Amino acid sequence: MSERNSCDVRLIKEHFGLEQVCGDDGSLDRLVMVPNTNRPGLELTGFFAHAEPKRIVILGNKETAFLKTLSEENQLERFDFLCNDDETPFVLVTSGNPVPKSLETVASRKNIPVFVSKEKSSSIMVALVTYLDEVLAIQDNVHGVLMNVFGKGVLIIGESGMGKSEVALELILRGHALIADDRVDISRVKDSILGTAPYLLKGMLEIRGIGIIDTTQMFGVNAYLEQIAIDFVVEFRKWDDNAEYLRVGIEEQAYFPALGLDIPRLVFPVKEGRNLSVLVESAVRDFMMKQRGINSAKLFDERVIEYIELQNKK
């Protein structure tokens, strides 16, 4: 079951090298669960409806200037609301501005961390959101092999024993790179699905009859890639003589659902004598051509229709 991650404030403090001015060491155990920030314009005016207390609070030049127009009593009231005991992760004062005394009073009483930074609000907000998008991404895992083929993230799925790992080995020998074998950890970052391998399986490939091989040791550093966005899914299925398979390619596009997004999917019937690694490469090339607006199947269909029309005119 997919779920959203969380991280503690300590991780963010260490990653960005923030200077802490309020809150003890225990305050750094507070959790950040929302990949977004809040510049509290309306909240500072006293309008508290529709506020989102789980977001990181950012106080920049505008907020600092506006606070100077408020009485100490009003400042204490606004910061008492912004420093939610259970939900506010931390407060960050940017652009080298001093921490308001009223904020220090409230944050110290509630043991909520307050940090300062010389970075501009706009810069550090972008950096925080980008970082949190990955750290807090919704995650799941799928059974399959993830490869980098011609720069595209290709997820190969199918039942056990279909030869997915063997195809991955052939693709590596043809100059492509492995990301994950057997289990692929996926996460959604905005409108992309990123795939990587669990720590224990990074760079490892299991080949029946050989065992576990380290791709970087055997084939060099270019044989393994840490992470890639999944662009295309290839599904291996056992060949069924009674089934009808894609021939012309003008049928409706199939998709693989992943964390609320649909990834283009193609089914490959597995039969003795088929060179699956070459077929995967060809499928990826065709996928790349379609992205550029070149659809061979449609061109063929148009040619057939044109030919029929010409024959009817005779």
Side-chain angles (χ1 to χ4, degrees):
M1 183 178 178
S2 61
E3 57 182 17
R4 183 178 288 280
N5 281 340
S6 63
C7 71
D8 57 32
V9 174
R10 189 185 313 275
L11 186 66
I12 297 176
K13 176 192 174 186
E14 293 173 355
H15 181 81
F16 289 95
L18 300 176
E19 180 186 346
Q20 185 173 359
V21 295
C22 287
D24 60 20
D25 188 70
S27 70
L28 301 179
D29 295 329
R30 298 177 73 86
L31 294 180
V32 181
M33 304 183 71
V34 177
N36 218 325
T37 60
N38 174 30
R39 295 194 67 174
L42 290 174
E43 290 94 327
L44 292 180
T45 68
F47 184 79
F48 299 149
H50 309 292
E52 299 187 24
K54 293 183 180 181
R55 295 185 177 189
I56 296 167
V57 177
I58 305 287
L59 299 178
N61 290 330
K62 291 181 180 179
E63 292 80 11
T64 300
F66 179 75
L67 283 165
K68 293 177 181 179
T69 68
L70 299 178
S71 66
E72 183 179 357
E73 182 181 357
N74 282 337
Q75 288 185 32
L76 289 170
E77 178 197 16
R78 311 296 152 77
F79 284 129
D80 186 67
F81 175 81
L82 288 171
C83 295
N84 186 291
D85 295 83
D86 300 320
E87 297 184 301
T88 303
F90 63 87
V91 180
L92 175 61
V93 181
T94 66
S95 302
N97 287 302
V99 177
K101 294 296 182 182
S102 52
L103 173 58
E104 283 192 46
T105 300
V106 175
S108 298
R109 173 167 53 85
K110 295 189 174 187
N111 197 28
I112 289 178
V114 175
F115 302 110
V116 292
S117 172
K118 294 181 180 179
E119 292 283 338
K120 293 182 179 179
S121 298
S122 56
S123 299
I124 200 162
M125 284 173 64
V126 170
L128 275 169
V129 172
T130 301
Y131 176 73
L132 291 173
D133 268 336
E134 292 196 18
V135 173
L136 304 182
I138 301 173
Q139 294 191 326
D140 203 347
N141 62 79
V142 296
H143 176 70
V145 175
L146 182 57
M147 299 290 302
N148 176 0
V149 182
F150 300 128
K152 297 294 182 181
V154 181
L155 176 64
I156 304 172
I157 60 174
E159 297 178 8
S160 296
M162 299 293 287
K164 298 185 295 294
S165 297
E166 287 78 3
V167 169
L169 179 59
E170 290 182 21
L171 288 169
I172 290 172
L173 292 172
R174 295 175 69 88
H176 307 292
L178 172 75
I179 289 87
D181 177 45
D182 189 46
R183 171 179 150 176
V184 182
D185 288 344
I186 61 173
S187 57
R188 177 173 176 174
V189 178
K190 298 190 184 304
D191 291 329
S192 296
I193 301 296
L194 303 182
T196 188
Y199 174 75
L200 291 176
L201 301 179
K202 289 182 181 296
M204 300 298 176
L205 185 65
E206 181 184 2
I207 304 297
R208 285 179 173 82
I210 298 178
I212 303 293
I213 62 174
D214 186 324
T215 57
T216 55
Q217 293 291 330
M218 186 171 288
F219 304 108
V221 294
N222 291 331
Y224 170 69
L225 192 64
E226 182 77 21
Q227 179 178 267
I228 199 168
I230 302 176
D231 301 295
F232 190 58
V233 176
V234 174
E235 181 180 353
F236 289 172
R237 287 187 188 173
K238 291 181 180 179
W239 185 281
D240 184 354
D241 290 331
N242 297 318
E244 291 186 7
Y245 296 113
L246 201 68
R247 291 180 65 88
V248 178
I250 58 174
E251 293 82 351
E252 185 177 347
Q253 174 70 62
Y255 293 94
F256 177 81
L259 302 177
L261 295 179
D262 289 330
I263 305 173
R265 176 178 63 90
L266 184 65
V267 174
F268 272 0
V270 177
K271 187 178 184 180
E272 186 178 347
R274 304 196 86 194
N275 191 326
L276 293 176
S277 61
V278 173
L279 290 175
V280 169
E281 283 187 335
S282 299
V284 175
R285 288 182 186 274
D286 182 63
F287 171 71
M288 294 167 67
M289 288 175 63
K290 287 177 179 176
Q291 285 187 314
R292 297 170 189 163
I294 304 170
N295 191 320
S296 299
K298 286 185 177 180
L299 290 173
F300 176 74
D301 188 48
E302 291 170 1
R303 186 181 297 179
V304 170
I305 294 172
E306 182 182 357
Y307 177 78
I308 292 173
E309 290 175 349
L310 287 173
Q311 292 299 310
N312 290 336
K313 291 179 180 178
K314 291 182 179 180

